């Protein structure tokens, strides 16, 4: 489980900044059922995100190479 740090801080502000105190606070919130979770994508969504990011990279590379090619064809003024 991954807790949302901003919501945890709003629910239980930390008075002492030690790992032991933080762990106890998280354990108490989890036991009481108040530990706010973050949404984690499933495998299919994660794969789709990677594909979209890769496509974006390829499009940027292609556009850049086309622009460089057109600049090299311009006549010097």
């Amino acid at each position: 489980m991954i807790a949302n740090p901003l919501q945890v801080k709003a629910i239980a502000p930390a008075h002492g900044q030690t790992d032991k105190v933080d762990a106890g606070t998280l354990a108490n919130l989890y036991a009481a059922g108040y530990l706010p979770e973050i949404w984690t994508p499933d495998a299919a969504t994660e794969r789709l995100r990677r594909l979209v990011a890769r496509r974006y990279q390829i499009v940027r590379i292609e556009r850049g190479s086309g622009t460089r090619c057109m600049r090299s064809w311009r006549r010097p003024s």
Side-chain angles (χ1 to χ4, degrees), residues 8 13-14 17 22-26 28 32-34 39 46 48 51-52 55-56 63 65 69 71 75 77:
V8 169
Q17 282 297 96
D22 289 342
T25 302
L26 290 173
N28 291 336
Y34 289 124
W39 177 79
E46 195 62 40
L48 186 59
L51 284 172
V52 169
R55 182 186 180 282
Y56 178 74
R63 278 196 186 141
S65 63
C69 183
R71 268 190 266 159
R75 292 184 195 177
S77 13

Side-chain angles (χ1 to χ4, degrees), residues 63-74:
R63 278 196 186 141
S65 63
T67 303
R68 283 189 299 276
C69 183
M70 292 303 289
R71 268 190 266 159
S72 67
W73 289 353
R74 268 195 313 193

Side-chain angles (χ1 to χ4, degrees), residues 12-30:
H15 298 291
Q17 282 297 96
T18 65
D19 290 342
K20 194 172 185 177
V21 171
D22 289 342
T25 302
L26 290 173
N28 291 336
L29 288 173
Y30 180 74

